[in-house]
Amino acid sequence: MSNPATQEDADEASSTASVLLVDDEPNVLKSLNRLLRRRGYVVHMCTCPEQALKLLEQLDPKVIVSDYRMPQMNGVEFLHRARQLRPRAMRILLSGQADREVIIEA
């Protein structure tokens, strides 16, 4: 038997929401992808922020999720540039560190 609230959330997500995940760790992407797809979201993944910016020229995701620490550019810079391309998308920064300065910068 399915949970009505969960089914409603999945129905709404599948009809409207796509998510772009950006992280240089493939295992993190795979985990988030499994979680979001189960809930009905359309998921796009990139391990490189530059690649993700090119993808944003074609996609219009509702949500953009980025890791903070990546070798090419940090998540704050990526999300700033993503905002220029897709200003209506919700942007979420993930970080495994509890650095107050990072939070303020974000």
Side-chain angles (χ1 to χ4, degrees), residues 17 25 41 45 58 60 62 76 80 85 88 92-93 102:
E25 294 289 332
Y41 292 90
M45 301 181 297
Q58 301 165 10
D60 190 13
K62 298 284 184 191
V76 173
H80 175 74
L85 292 168
R88 293 183 180 189
I92 300 171
L93 182 67
V102 168

Side-chain angles (χ1 to χ4, degrees), residues 2-23:
S2 69
N3 178 340
T6 303
Q7 185 60 46
E8 183 178 303
D9 291 344
D11 290 344
E12 182 178 327
S14 65
S15 65
T16 61
S18 65
V19 178
L20 173 61
L21 304 174
V22 184
D23 195 314

Side-chain angles (χ1 to χ4, degrees), residues 46-106:
C46 286
T47 56
C48 170
E50 290 293 339
Q51 230 177 14
L53 290 170
K54 289 179 185 172
L55 190 58
L56 282 173
E57 293 173 4
Q58 301 165 10
L59 294 178
D60 190 13
K62 298 284 184 191
V63 180
I64 302 168
V65 180
S66 176
D67 183 29
Y68 174 71
R69 284 189 180 240
M70 295 182 286
Q72 300 86 3
M73 75 176 74
N74 72 41
V76 173
E77 181 182 346
F78 166 74
L79 290 175
H80 175 74
R81 291 175 63 184
R83 182 179 183 212
Q84 294 171 337
L85 292 168
R86 298 294 175 203
R88 293 183 180 189
M90 178 183 292
R91 292 166 307 282
I92 300 171
L93 182 67
L94 297 178
S95 178
Q97 58 184 353
D99 184 342
R100 185 177 178 176
E101 294 304 314
V102 168
I103 294 167
I104 292 169
E105 180 184 3

